[in-house]
Each structure stands twice: as structure tokens, then as C-alpha cells.
Amino acid sequence: MTPRTVRRTRDSSGLSRESILRAALEIIDEDGIDGLSMRRLGRVLGRDPMSLYRHAANKAELLDLVAEAVLVHLSVDTTDTDWAGQLRTVARQFRGLALAHPNVVPLLVTRPLATPIAMRPLGTLRPLEAILELLIRAGFSEVDALHVYRSFYGFIQGHVLNELQEIVENREETDDLLRLGLHRLPIHEFPQLRSLAPVLAAYDGATELERGMDILLTGLRAQLRPTTPPPA
């Protein structure tokens, strides 16, 4: 599956959906989801905010379109016979998108949870469809393919949320315990957490992603195996 381009439409003033979404994403990148409004978007584009409603009925629909515009860059090669390697590639892509647009992560991870799957924007469902196709082509049953997908997405979504969280309390401190603020924890109640201060401070998101994928894929291979060999 190759990245799809966002549907390009223009209104009578020549304003394209692509330019609207690009400006909306820039606002979210700068000031978060709460910083985006139709009024501000219109001001950035130099247009009457009412003209934007030809492309998005409201802010909620605009946010869905932004999520689609970001996920369009998540590509899945459904013909790859190395299903595990392809999942690892997709995980790296997802992390890259999250780091490039951290303020968009709630639209990709938490916002969909409040929407029934059949009512979600089609662009946000395409990675699901593509990964299911990848796994079924590899020989997994439809049910097992869904199990693999859920485990995979649960891991990468949890990973990016964990990586993007702020853990440093005082950046000027050189002592890891003080830098993370863990010295505030009662030593007798949290000895393990306090002792892990150097490890927490040295967190490497890329390395942790690879380690986590190693563990996940090893477990999946042990419990779920393709029932037929992948096609030649």
C-alpha cells in the first residue's frame, strides 16, 4: 500500500483543501489542538472563516481531516513476505510521524477511541485494512491477523505516548535523581523507581522501540503462526 494523497478540492476563491490542512497542521504543531479554530485558520490563510466551512463542516471534521493528512504518510507494503519486518518498518514510520507532530498524537491515538470504528474517517482506517491484508497474505487467519494488529498497534501507540511524556523536572540539575525529581519520592516506598533514575534519564526512544518490537514479535511468533506459507 502506497501513501495516498489527500483529496484536493478547490472552492471558487481557489482555496484548496490541501492548503487548509497544511495551515491547520502548522497551527496544531505550534500551539496544539486547542490553538486551532476556524477563525484563526481563516486569519492565517487570509480568508473569511466562513469560506472554510465549504471544506469542513466544523472543527471536529477539520481535526479528522488533519489526522488523515498525517496518516497518509504511513505506508504499508501488503506484498512484503516478511510480515514481521514490515511491521517493524511501520512502527518506525509511526514513531517518526509522532515525533514530527507530537501535538497531533491525540488525534491518532486517543481521539479514535471515542468514535465507533465504522464512523471513523476512512483515511484513519486504511493502515488497519493494509496491515490485515499483509498478515492474511502471510498466512494468518483473519482472526489471528486481527489479534496481531491489536497487539502491534497497542504497543506502538503506548510507546509514542511514553516517549513524548515529559519526565525531566529540572534540566539544570546534573544528578539524575534530582533532575527527574525522583528525590521527592519516599525512599522506603519507591526504592526501585529511585534506583532507576540513571536509566530513565538515559531513555532512548529509537532503541526502546526496537527492543519492544523484538519482544512483541518474539511473542507473536511463539503463539500465532501463519497457517499457510506466504505466496511466492
Side-chain angles (χ1 to χ4, degrees):
M1 173 177 165
T2 56
R4 300 170 182 263
T5 56
V6 176
R7 187 161 55 104
R8 298 185 181 185
T9 59
R10 292 182 181 273
D11 58 25
S12 58
S13 66
L15 189 62
S16 69
R17 176 172 292 186
E18 183 182 44
S19 64
I20 292 172
L21 296 182
R22 184 167 55 247
L25 180 57
E26 289 174 356
I27 291 172
I28 293 174
D29 283 342
E30 181 178 350
D31 292 321
I33 295 171
D34 291 340
L36 176 65
S37 68
M38 292 300 207
R39 183 179 299 277
R40 181 177 179 185
L41 184 57
R43 188 165 61 249
V44 168
L45 292 168
R47 303 297 173 91
D48 182 342
M50 295 304 296
S51 67
L52 304 179
Y53 289 100
R54 300 188 185 119
H55 299 271
N58 47 47
K59 180 178 175 179
E61 184 176 335
L62 179 62
L63 292 177
D64 286 340
L65 291 172
V66 170
E68 286 186 301
V70 172
L71 284 177
V72 79
H73 299 289
L74 189 69
S75 61
V76 183
D77 182 358
T78 59
T79 64
D80 193 343
T81 56
D82 179 9
W83 63 269
Q86 183 61 207
L87 289 185
R88 192 182 292 272
T89 297
V90 174
R92 291 167 181 163
Q93 289 181 31
F94 190 86
R95 174 178 179 265
L97 291 174
L99 295 183
H101 306 287
N103 289 335
V104 178
V105 168
L107 302 181
L108 308 181
V109 177
T110 58
R111 181 177 170 84
L113 298 178
T115 307
I117 190 168
M119 296 177 64
R120 296 175 193 172
L122 296 183
T124 64
L125 294 176
R126 289 193 176 102
L128 163 59
E129 180 69 20
I131 290 175
L132 291 176
E133 182 180 344
L134 166 74
L135 296 170
I136 291 170
R137 277 175 175 265
F140 286 96
S141 70
E142 293 180 348
V143 173
D144 283 351
L146 186 57
H147 285 320
V148 172
Y149 169 83
R150 285 172 172 163
S151 297
F152 170 68
Y153 247 73
F155 165 70
I156 62 171
Q157 290 178 339
H159 172 84
V160 298
L161 289 175
N162 186 64
E163 183 171 0
L164 292 174
Q165 70 176 324
E166 181 60 67
I167 64 171
V168 176
E169 179 180 298
N170 190 339
R171 296 186 179 279
E172 296 181 1
E173 286 286 356
T174 56
D175 181 274
D176 291 328
L177 194 68
L178 299 176
R179 190 163 182 259
L180 302 181
L182 296 181
H183 63 289
R184 303 179 188 280
L185 301 180
I187 191 170
H188 297 299
E189 295 182 44
F190 300 95
Q192 305 303 331
L193 189 54
R194 287 171 59 107
S195 69
L196 284 169
V199 179
L200 290 169
Y203 179 87
D204 183 327
T207 299
E208 287 296 323
L209 179 74
E210 299 300 330
R211 183 178 293 118
M213 285 299 298
D214 287 343
I215 296 170
L216 175 66
L217 293 173
T218 297
L220 290 174
R221 287 192 183 100
Q223 296 200 25
L224 300 173
R225 296 182 181 277
T227 55
T228 59

